[in-house]
Amino acid sequence: MGEHEDLANRLHSAAIHLLRAVSRVDAESGLSPARLSALSVIVVRGPLTMTELAGIERVTPATISSTVTGLEGVGLATRARTGSDARQVTVSATTAGRSLLHASRRRRLAVLEGYLETMTPLERAATTSLVSAIERITDTRALTDDG
């Protein structure tokens, strides 16, 4: 067993439980988890080709096409033909799609803020350090409402 196995196991379990708790408010978006996930990727990383989106979401092109069709049907995304011969299709979020995603994100953040409020100042400081370390090693940064 590795030196860090216990900590890795605890972090894995805690992260899964935390994400499950936060995702309980996702139903308020009115979207399925697959559509909300795709919309999130489109808002944060878009516009994207359908192939790129399928790869990021780890689904088949047919599945992503169906997902995007559903997002288009409720006015949250649009497709456009691009490229020199207009065979490439890109998907972008609409203003309504960005608004819905940001509202969903704010609901998730409210859940997390509730947890943070129950922590001691020392626990919040430790959490801040942990999050900074995870952001560094995964080369990520948080989405903000303005970008």
Side-chain angles (χ1 to χ4, degrees):
M1 302 287 171
E3 174 184 354
H4 305 292
E5 183 177 5
D6 181 58
L7 181 57
N9 185 44
R10 290 174 56 209
L11 178 60
H12 180 265
S13 182
I16 287 172
H17 284 87
L18 184 63
L19 288 174
R20 283 182 185 152
V22 170
S23 70
R24 288 188 184 109
V25 296
D26 288 347
E28 294 175 39
S29 73
L31 296 178
S32 69
R35 286 183 183 174
L36 188 58
S37 178
L39 180 62
S40 176
V41 172
I42 296 165
V43 168
V44 173
R45 301 194 42 194
L48 300 158
T49 66
M50 296 291 283
T51 302
E52 290 169 329
L53 182 57
I56 292 166
E57 289 292 282
R58 297 182 181 179
V59 297
T60 66
T63 298
I64 209 63
S65 181
S66 174
T67 300
V68 170
T69 296
L71 291 171
E72 282 182 305
V74 292
L76 302 175
T78 59
R79 288 186 234 206
R81 295 213 171 264
T82 60
S84 59
D85 59 3
R87 284 190 294 171
Q88 192 173 48
V89 176
T90 58
V91 61
S92 302
T94 63
T95 300
R98 285 188 292 280
S99 294
L100 184 138
L101 191 277
H102 288 298
S104 180
R105 183 176 148 274
R106 283 190 294 277
R107 283 190 296 274
R108 285 175 148 241
L109 292 178
V111 172
L112 290 172
E113 288 169 11
Y115 287 138
L116 291 169
E117 288 171 1
T118 69
M119 292 181 177
T120 66
L122 230 56
E123 289 170 330
R124 278 192 298 277
T127 300
T128 298
S129 293
L130 174 63
V131 169
S132 294
I134 291 171
E135 287 172 335
R136 179 184 56 77
I137 64 175
T138 60
D139 193 29
T140 59
R141 70 176 184 83
L143 172 67
T144 60
D145 283 339
D146 57 354

